Amino acid sequence: MRAADALVKNAVEDRSVLDVYVSPLIFLYRHAVELFLKDLLWQSHYLASGKKGFITDKKCFQTHDLLKLWQQLKGNCQKVLGADFPLVPDDVELLEELFAQIQKHDPGSDAFRFPFDAKGNISHASLSHVNVRSLYENVHQAVDLLGDLKGIVTYCIEQCEG
């Protein structure tokens, strides 16, 4: 995520590089969020099922769909944490809106890596403007919320194993 932050900082300071940096910084933010979700997903899966290790269910883990990953993670955490689930509805809405926006423009996690898709169509052709400051703020807010969730999940794992 720091690499994307550095690109945002540079693009804000020198707007002439924005068009060059926009795809790499979106790519980096998207993958940082995906990896965070997958890390939390296996941990929450462990708490919910008692099974540690790689999750082989392709529907819940081996996907790049941020909304699907989030729904599985949220379900696991709500099941395990119950009333201690730390996110309020506004937090959940913020996360889901961010994930939906990313999914809209990059459903397969490859639109910001390649200028064309497998059919030869221009990647993310419907995307004409990116507010990098807003993207930066939204991603950081989402990661902070996921960090809160990770703190509780990590605590629960420590209690189970300790």
Side-chain angles (χ1 to χ4, degrees):
M1 204 160 101
R2 287 182 181 170
D5 290 349
L7 291 175
V8 169
K9 182 178 186 243
N10 195 286
V12 168
E13 292 171 358
D14 179 4
R15 295 186 58 76
S16 70
V17 298
L18 183 57
D19 286 342
V20 175
Y21 286 179
V22 71
S23 286
L25 72 87
I26 294 170
F27 172 82
L28 291 167
Y29 278 142
R30 189 215 197 285
H31 284 279
V33 168
E34 182 178 334
L35 290 172
F36 204 138
L37 287 170
K38 286 182 174 182
D39 181 46
L40 270 168
L41 182 55
W42 84 259
Q43 291 177 1
S44 68
H45 177 77
Y46 169 56
L47 286 174
S49 70
K51 296 176 185 173
K52 204 172 201 176
F54 188 73
I55 303 169
T56 57
D57 181 357
K58 290 183 179 188
K59 290 184 285 184
C60 82
F61 191 72
Q62 295 177 341
T63 180
H64 297 289
D65 187 319
L66 301 179
L67 286 168
K68 285 182 182 176
L69 292 168
W70 165 247
Q71 291 303 323
Q72 184 66 39
L73 168 62
K74 182 175 71 169
N76 287 348
C77 288
Q78 287 174 330
K79 176 181 174 183
V80 171
L81 302 174
D84 292 328
F85 183 74
L87 305 180
V88 298
D90 286 347
D91 296 339
V92 171
E93 183 179 348
L94 182 140
L95 290 170
E96 291 176 356
E97 285 178 16
L98 175 65
F99 301 155
Q101 280 297 310
I102 293 170
Q103 282 302 121
K104 176 182 173 184
H105 297 289
D106 190 12
S109 185
D110 55 8
F112 293 99
R113 289 189 289 161
F114 307 108
F116 300 98
D117 66 16
K119 296 178 183 176
N121 300 314
I122 294 174
S123 294
H124 51 82
S126 65
L127 187 62
S128 62
H129 175 76
V130 176
N131 183 329
V132 294
R133 286 183 182 150
S134 178
L135 178 63
Y136 171 92
E137 291 168 5
N138 289 335
V139 168
H140 278 265
Q141 193 172 8
V143 168
D144 287 346
L145 292 171
L146 293 173
D148 293 344
L149 192 55
K150 183 172 178 59
I152 292 175
V153 167
T154 300
Y155 175 79
C156 289
I157 289 172
E158 289 169 355
Q159 294 306 304
C160 289
E161 293 179 343

